[in-house]
Amino acid sequence: ESLREHETVTKVKNIEMIELGRFRMEAWYFSPYPPELFPNADQKNAIPILYLCEFTLKFFRHKTELQRHYQRNPPRHPPGNEIYRDDKTMLSMFEVDGTQEKVYAQNLCWMAKLFLDHKTLYYDVDPFLFYVLCERDDRGYHIVGFYSKEKHSESGYNLACILTLPAYQRKGYGKFLIEFSYELSKLEQKVGSPEKPLSDLGQLSYGSYWSEILLNVLIESGKEHLSIYDLCSITSFKADDTIQTLQKLNLLKYYSGNYLIYITDEAREKHKKYQARKKNQKRVDPTKIHWTPYESGRKSDKWSIASKVRGNLDQDDEA
Ligand code: ACO
């Protein structure tokens, strides 16, 4: 199985480029689109441009087919429920259930795989929810990125796979998606973490997000005493992500047989920089989330904040 996976992941690109809405984006990796798309079974010749409907993510080899599809008036938004809408930033988030919207979810996974290499992409979409971020205008809701999440994660993952489409990267959407995943964890009253391994870009984005949020809590809360337990309860970060980030920021000091969190001048400077940039960034407004957890009837589990964070700490680190 793992050999087969490796083969799939290392295969040569079979699609050169996609056209999605206003953009053409060069594919980064192979994606296992269905064989019907390659009638000659001659995968040596990659498809030069694959045309995607930006609302349904249906895909076509020829632009005329896509135009005919648009003439049939597909819905101008992703399927599922709009669980977030911000009229100032014109951003919306849709929650799509993999069981109810199999075709859309599958299309989303195939498209995502064009830009993800290290992950086994789940082709069984049933166990997942997909959170699709869109920019809204008078033509409809235009997908800019998404993340997926297991409906139930034994490992306490609150995000399985994240993607900002290349045309929208480095504009803050990655951090928006990450922030959204933690806002949902807060509503679930759980700690959460992204599925590992993270890609290099995933590590950069998470590293920056964790640092920004932890520095903000430590410096702005006005509290002199904050434990790792407190930090995890406030942020919904798992203890090991919190501790690792504090270590990277050089804030954990060993003193008289104990670890202390000690705010350095360097950390204050970093915090100031984050604050200065924040004003221009797209951030999640939690008051605009309208959502109930998928497993709202479920009893608390080991990742629930009250019961778990302490246990996680005892296991993971003495800090
Ligand atoms: N080079 C250097 N820094 C980068 C880069 C880059 N290419 N891309 C993002 N960053 C940094 C940004 O500077 C920012 O940090 P800062 O706020 O301290 O400046 C931080 O990462 C987040 O930037 P955003 O603009 O919010 O992120 P973006 O919208 O570009 O999305 C993402 C990040 C989702 C990882 C995107 O690069 C992507 O989709 N990559 C391809 C798929 C992928 O690798 N996904 C992660 C897999 S791991 C997993 O799924 C659990």
Side-chain angles (χ1 to χ4, degrees):
E1 184 62 21
S2 88
L3 268 178
R4 198 150 12 103
E5 252 171 52
H6 179 75
E7 264 176 27
T8 308
V9 168
T10 51
K11 265 187 189 163
V12 286
K13 267 196 317 187
N14 50 352
I15 288 157
E16 285 297 332
M17 203 178 275
I18 57 167
E19 186 178 300
L20 180 80
R22 294 184 292 135
F23 297 104
R24 280 193 179 170
M25 292 172 258
E26 199 179 315
W28 298 357
Y29 305 106
F30 168 88
S31 175
Y33 272 96
E36 304 85 85
L37 194 60
F38 309 91
N40 305 328
D42 178 7
Q43 304 243 347
K44 270 186 214 146
N45 294 330
I47 293 178
I49 303 175
L50 189 67
Y51 298 91
L52 268 63
C53 164
E54 54 173 338
F55 309 115
T56 62
L57 303 182
K58 283 192 177 143
F59 45 89
F60 305 93
R61 282 191 74 134
H62 303 286
K63 186 143 188 168
T64 46
E65 294 170 328
L66 175 66
Q67 283 162 343
R68 271 204 300 275
H69 168 77
Y70 279 136
Q71 279 160 12
R72 287 195 287 273
N73 256 335
R76 304 212 147 238
H77 53 79
N81 296 323
E82 189 179 9
I83 59 167
Y84 180 89
R85 179 195 287 225
D86 186 337
D87 291 327
K88 257 196 230 146
T89 57
M90 299 297 270
L91 290 178
S92 284
M93 187 76 95
F94 286 78
E95 183 186 60
V96 182
D97 186 324
T99 309
Q100 286 167 23
E101 301 293 346
K102 272 202 175 56
V103 174
Y104 180 88
Q106 185 69 80
N107 289 344
L108 184 61
C109 289
W110 280 325
M111 182 186 72
K113 179 63 191 73
L114 293 169
F115 307 104
L116 275 156
D117 73 332
H118 76 296
K119 270 203 174 250
T120 323
L121 211 73
Y122 30 82
Y123 299 108
D124 174 12
V125 291
D126 281 8
F128 293 92
L129 295 165
F130 298 85
Y131 294 91
V132 183
L133 178 61
C134 297
E135 279 182 349
R136 198 172 87 242
D137 63 21
D138 48 5
R139 291 185 306 112
Y141 292 78
H142 311 278
I143 178 171
V144 304
F146 82 101
Y147 73 88
S148 56
K149 177 180 181 172
E150 283 172 278
K151 289 173 186 169
H152 176 67
S153 168
E154 283 297 333
S155 315
Y157 294 137
N158 63 357
L159 178 147
C161 186
I162 178 171
L163 171 78
T164 303
L165 285 161
Y168 295 95
Q169 282 177 9
R170 306 214 64 179
K171 295 178 176 10
Y173 289 114
K175 272 191 169 172
F176 185 99
L177 289 162
I178 293 170
E179 185 156 60
F180 201 87
S181 70
Y182 282 107
E183 288 303 330
L184 296 196
S185 291
K186 286 180 196 169
L187 292 171
E188 291 173 314
Q189 299 186 319
K190 285 183 177 183
V191 291
S193 185
E195 193 180 305
K196 313 295 178 312
L198 295 177
S199 66
D200 293 351
L201 289 170
Q203 266 173 34
L204 274 172
S205 306
Y206 267 98
S208 171
Y209 179 72
W210 288 327
S211 301
E212 179 181 336
I213 299 299
L214 288 173
L215 285 175
N216 191 53
V217 174
L218 286 168
I219 294 171
E220 300 293 328
S221 70
K223 288 188 183 151
E224 212 166 295
H225 300 286
L226 274 171
S227 63
I228 304 253
Y229 175 88
D230 297 328
L231 291 175
C232 296
S233 311
I234 295 168
T235 58
S236 272
F237 297 172
K238 268 198 196 168
D240 31 7
D241 297 330
T242 304
I243 291 164
Q244 248 180 45
T245 307
L246 294 177
Q247 275 167 342
K248 272 199 192 134
L249 289 167
N250 210 13
L251 300 186
L252 281 184
K253 306 284 175 206
Y254 194 66
Y255 182 74
S256 291
N258 275 316
Y259 280 101
L260 299 176
I261 304 172
Y262 177 78
I263 313 288
T264 58
D265 289 344
E266 205 185 326
R268 287 187 194 281
E269 272 311 303
K270 205 170 181 130
H271 170 61
K272 263 195 208 154
K273 280 190 194 149
Y274 280 131
Q275 289 295 97
R277 279 189 325 186
K278 206 173 169 181
K279 286 172 207 128
N280 306 321
Q281 284 176 343
K282 304 162 186 81
R283 303 312 285 248
V284 180
D285 176 350
T287 63
K288 296 188 162 58
I289 300 177
H290 300 283
W291 182 78
T292 45
Y294 183 78
E295 297 183 307
S296 53
R298 228 183 136 90
K299 280 197 196 138
S300 63
D301 61 17
K302 59 183 179 176
W303 306 111
S304 298
I305 281 178
S307 68
K308 180 56 194 168
V309 184
R310 185 77 261 158
N312 200 15
L313 264 183
D314 294 343
Q315 263 175 29
D316 294 340
D317 204 299
E318 298 278 290

